[in-house]
Amino acid sequence: MKWWGWGDEDVAFTHEGQPDLGPFLQRHLEIDVDRVSSPRVAFGDLQVPEPVLPSALRGALETAVGADHVSVDARDRVVHARGKSLRDLVRHRRGDIGRLPDVVVRPGGEEALAEVLRVALDVDAVVIPFGGGSNISGSLEPPADDTRTIVSVDLGRMDQVLAVDETARLARVQVGVSGPRLEEQLNARGWTLGHFPDSFAYSTLGGWIATRSSGMQSDKYGDVADLMRAVRLVTPTGLLATRAVPATSTGPSVREMVLGSEGRLGILSEATVHVHRVPARRMILGYLLPTWEAGLAAMHGIAAGEATPTVTRVSDANETRFSFATRKTPTPLDRVKSRALREFLRRRRDFDLDAMCLAFIGYEGSERHVRAQRRLVGRIVADHGGVGIGSGPGALYDQKKFDTPYIRDYLLDRGALADVSETAAPWSRLGEVHDRVVSAAQAAFRSLGVPGYIMCHLSHSYHSGACLYFTFALKPSGERDPLADYDEVKSAIQQTFVDSGATLSHHHGVGTEHARWLEQDISAPGVAMLRALFDGVDPGGNLNPGKVVGRTIEE
Ligand SMILES: Cc1cc2nc3c(=O)[nH]c(=O)nc-3n(C[C@H](O)[C@H](O)[C@H](O)COP(=O)(O)OP(=O)(O)OC[C@H]3O[C@@H](n4cnc5c(N)ncnc54)[C@H](O)[C@@H]3O)c2cc1C
C-alpha cells in the first residue's frame, strides 16, 4: 500500500481513454488534467522522528511475537500512522506525518496478541490495532500530544479461515484477513462471505467489524453487523468470547458493543461469520430512470416488494453525468447505439436527458431465481418510467468499482480535493436529506468562492430506509490551507445530516472525523454510556485513545 495514497504503488488512475473526463473536470473543477500542479514530497524528504521504545518493552514484544515481527522501520511507521481519509492523504503528501507509532508489531496468533497487549499495558503504552489501514474517519491516528510509547498492532499475519461449519453456515476466521484472502479461502471450499466494500482489496475482517462496515451486496448478505455472529476480543482483563448462536437474550448485546468499537475495547483476534454458497449466477443490470425522485421511488418499491436483489443503487443526475463522463472512447457502433438510446428516451419516453438517473441492480442465485427477480424488478422500474439498458454497463461498473478509489490521488495531484460523506435515513426523509445536503454543499462552495461538485447515490436498501452516499470535490482557492476549505464543505454536509434526522455515518464509523456530531446523533446520555463503557474496560486510556468519544481519562 502506498504511504501517501490509495492502493498498489504500480496502479494509478488516468483520464487516458476517457475522452469526456478531462473536459468534465475542467468545466466543474477548473483543473487542467494534463498538468500535475500539486506533487507530493518524496519519502526521503520526510522528517521521521526516532521511535521512543524502551529496550525492556522491545525485548518483551520480541519475545511475544518474534524479533522479525517487531518493526521500527520508518516506512512501516509512516504507513501505520493514519488511515486513508482525505485529511490523512493531504497531510502525508505534504510531509506532515504527525505523531507516528513508535513500533509496529505483528502477532501470529491469539496467544501472542494477548501477550503483546499485556506487556504494552504493563508499561502504560498506547495500543492501536491496525487492520488494512483503509479507514477514512481518523480511526488510527495516535493523539498528537500523547507522550507514551505508541504500539501499532498489525493483524496482517492472522489471516486464516480456521473452520467452516457447513451445517450452520458459519466460518471461524482470524480477523487480520484481507477481503481477497478471505474470499480466496472461502471460495476454495465453495463459500463466500458476500462482503465487498469498495476498499475490499486492502481492508480486513477486524477493521470491518471495528467500524461497522457495509459492502456493496449488503442488500442480500447484510452489513458486517449482520454477518458477524461471534467474536473473540483480547481485552485488558482477559479474553472476551461470545457464542456463535443465532440469537440470544443475555442482556445488552456484548457482540453489538464490540461492533464499531474502533479498537477502544480491545483487539479482535477471531470472528465467526455467516457464509453463503457461491452463487451459480451473478449479474448486475443497468437501468435509466427519468428523475432522481423516480429513482428513489423505484428503489423504495423494490425494498417494499417481493424482489430480493443483492445490489440496489441509483445515482442522482449529477453522479449520472459523472458516470457518463468516465465512458471509454466509444467505437463507431457504440456511438450509433448511444445516439439511438438518447433518441428513444427523449422521443418515446419523454426523458429530460439532463435529469435522468443511472441505476444498477444486482442479482444472484440459480438461473431461475435470477430470471424471476429480474422480472419483478423490471416491472417496478417500468412502473416508475424507467428502462433497462442491459448487462454491459453493470458489468463495467462491477469491473471498475475497485479502481475508482485511485481517482482521489489523481485529483490531489492536480490540486483538487475529493471526499465522501454517507448517511442513512428513513425512506420518508431520503428526498429531503438529499436536497438539503446538496444545497448545503453548494452554499459552502459559493461562500468559499471555489469551484465544487457534489453528487450522490442511494445504495444499501433496508426495510425502513437506505444509505445516501455523497461524493464531493472542490478546487481550493490556494489562499489558505486547502484543508480549511475542505472542512467547511465537509462540516456543512455532516451538520445537514444530523439536522435532517439522518445519521452521521452509515458505514465509515466515527473515529475522530465524525466524533463532534455523535451527541447530536445518539444524545448526551448515549455518549455518556459509551464513555462509561470505554473507561470501564480501559481505565488507563491505553486502547486507541481519542476515537469515537474522545479521551476521557485525562479530562
Ligand atoms: C477508497 C475507500 C473505499 C472505501 N469503501 C468502503 C465501503 O464500501 N464500505 C465500508 O464499510 N467502508 C469503506 N471504506 C472505509 C474502510 O475501508 C472501512 O472503515 C474498513 O472497515 C476499515 O478496515 P481496515 O481493515 O482497513 O481497518 P483499519 O483502517 O486498519 O482500522 C479501522 C479501525 O478499526 C480498528 N481495528 C482494526 N482491526 C482491529 C482489530 N483486529 N481489533 C480491534 N480493532 C481493530 C482500528 O484500530 C481502527 O480504529 C473505504 C475506504 C476507502 C479509503
Side-chain angles (χ1 to χ4, degrees):
M1 176 82 100
K2 291 168 186 145
W3 66 268
W4 51 270
W6 180 251
D8 198 312
E9 284 283 356
D10 301 327
V11 181
F13 182 87
T14 170
H15 58 273
E16 305 291 335
Q18 300 174 81
D20 297 335
L21 186 59
F24 182 92
L25 294 173
Q26 168 71 48
R27 189 164 59 251
H28 293 289
L29 295 176
E30 297 175 15
I31 62 174
D32 176 357
V33 290
D34 293 318
R35 205 166 69 86
V36 170
S37 55
S38 304
R40 59 184 178 277
V41 301
F43 188 81
D45 293 334
L46 295 179
Q47 304 290 319
V48 180
E50 285 301 309
V52 179
L53 180 61
S55 57
L57 176 57
R58 182 176 189 146
L61 291 171
E62 287 181 354
T63 307
V65 303
D68 287 351
H69 305 299
V70 175
S71 165
V72 290
D73 171 71
R75 186 175 281 259
D76 233 357
R77 290 171 57 221
V78 169
V79 166
H80 286 76
R82 291 179 177 143
K84 297 293 176 196
S85 74
L86 182 83
R87 192 186 310 283
D88 298 336
L89 301 188
V90 169
R91 290 179 301 165
H92 259 51
R93 286 171 62 101
R94 66 185 179 202
D96 165 10
I97 49 178
R99 174 76 167 94
L100 300 184
D102 295 292
V103 58
V104 178
V105 183
R106 296 181 166 87
E110 190 177 87
E111 250 178 64
L113 178 61
E115 186 59 7
V116 166
L117 185 62
R118 193 187 66 72
V119 301
L121 294 183
D122 264 359
V123 297
D124 193 26
V126 167
V127 176
I128 304 182
F130 186 99
S134 72
N135 80 85
I136 51 175
S137 301
S139 312
L140 283 172
E141 183 164 350
D145 56 351
D146 208 316
T147 52
R148 297 174 290 181
T149 295
I150 311 265
V151 182
S152 173
V153 182
D154 184 321
L155 280 295
R157 287 175 66 213
M158 296 172 59
D159 68 349
Q160 294 300 302
V161 172
L162 300 173
V164 177
D165 175 343
E166 303 219 341
T167 310
R169 293 176 298 159
L170 290 173
R172 267 183 55 217
V173 185
Q174 290 182 308
V175 298
V177 72
S178 68
R181 195 75 197 101
L182 174 59
E183 283 298 320
E184 181 190 300
Q185 293 176 70
L186 289 176
N187 291 175
R189 305 178 196 202
W191 297 94
T192 177
L193 177 67
H195 186 73
F196 300 103
D198 291 356
S199 56
F200 176 75
Y202 291 95
S203 52
T204 63
L205 176 58
W208 299 338
I209 294 169
T211 58
R212 299 192 74 110
S213 162
S214 189
M216 68 178 267
Q217 287 169 214
S218 68
D219 284 31
K220 169 176 168 151
Y221 295 100
D223 301 328
V224 87
D226 307 304
L227 290 166
M228 192 271 276
R229 274 276 56 79
V231 273
R232 290 169 72 84
L233 180 81
V234 175
T235 79
T237 50
L239 183 73
L240 179 156
T242 63
R243 295 183 174 204
V245 288
T248 175
S249 177
T250 45
S253 167
V254 171
R255 176 187 154 278
E256 278 277 338
M257 288 175 201
V258 173
L259 281 158
S261 58
E262 299 190 19
R264 292 217 50 180
L265 296 176
I267 311 178
L268 289 155
S269 57
E270 203 184 284
T272 306
V273 291
H274 291 180
V275 287
H276 291 74
R277 281 292 178 199
V278 175
R281 183 93 167 97
R282 176 173 188 278
M283 70 189 317
I284 297 184
L285 294 185
Y287 301 85
L288 286 170
L289 278 303
T291 60
W292 171 241
E293 290 71 25
L296 284 186
M299 297 304 130
H300 180 218
I302 293 168
E306 288 172 353
T308 54
T310 55
V311 180
T312 46
R313 175 185 166 116
V314 60
S315 295
D316 68 4
N318 273 3
E319 194 171 276
T320 301
R321 280 195 282 271
F322 172 74
S323 294
F324 287 144
T326 61
R327 266 184 314 200
K328 297 247 177 285
T329 310
T331 61
L333 181 61
D334 291 337
R335 273 203 203 95
V336 172
K337 278 195 204 155
S338 124
R339 215 171 14 242
L341 178 64
R342 280 203 306 274
E343 284 305 296
F344 167 77
L345 291 172
R346 215 172 18 220
R347 287 169 191 248
R348 299 282 184 82
R349 295 302 183 101
D350 210 17
F351 268 44
D352 167 359
L353 298 187
D354 283 334
M356 75 180 172
C357 293
L358 177 64
F360 293 115
I361 312 281
Y363 307 91
E364 273 185 20
S366 64
E367 286 289 349
R368 226 172 99 200
H369 177 80
V370 167
R371 238 189 344 265
Q373 295 297 309
R374 285 178 58 178
R375 250 198 316 272
L376 284 172
V377 168
R379 245 178 262 141
I380 296 171
V381 170
D383 285 348
H384 292 89
V387 293
I389 51 172
S391 58
L396 204 60
Y397 158 73
D398 210 16
Q399 258 170 38
K400 283 199 320 193
K401 63 182 185 285
F402 298 137
D403 297 336
T404 312
Y406 289 91
I407 197 172
R408 256 185 336 164
D409 300 323
Y410 166 92
L411 289 172
L412 281 169
D413 281 342
R414 287 155 182 81
L417 310 181
D419 196 19
V420 297
S421 267
E422 31 70 59
T423 187
W427 287 110
S428 47
R429 306 194 75 150
L430 283 173
E432 181 199 341
V433 175
H434 172 268
D435 295 352
R436 286 182 66 177
V437 169
V438 170
S439 301
Q442 286 169 343
F445 298 142
R446 270 196 309 277
S447 95
L448 289 165
V450 300
Y453 196 75
I454 180 156
M455 58 192 192
C456 175
H457 64 256
L458 174 151
S459 54
H460 313 283
S461 292
Y462 302 88
H463 176 87
S464 63
C467 164
L468 289 181
Y469 189 102
F470 294 87
T471 303
F472 58 97
L474 63 148
K475 173 89 186 304
S477 61
E479 282 158 21
R480 51 185 198 150
D481 180 353
L483 284 177
D485 285 1
Y486 160 76
D487 276 335
E488 233 162 271
V489 181
K490 167 87 179 166
S491 299
I493 293 172
Q494 289 293 141
Q495 190 59 49
T496 309
F497 286 167
V498 290
D499 288 348
S500 319
T503 183
L504 58 78
S505 170
H506 168 260
H507 58 258
H508 288 155
V510 184
T512 50
E513 286 288 333
H514 300 141
R516 78 179 142 116
W517 289 281
L518 189 62
E519 186 172 314
Q520 295 171 66
D521 191 323
I522 66 168
S523 80
V527 171
M529 217 177 261
L530 287 182
R531 279 186 194 282
L533 174 65
F534 295 152
D535 290 351
V537 171
D538 176 32
N542 299 91
L543 296 173
N544 205 8
K547 311 308 172 332
V548 186
V549 292
R551 256 185 308 173
T552 54
I553 299 302
E554 295 86 339
E555 286 164 7

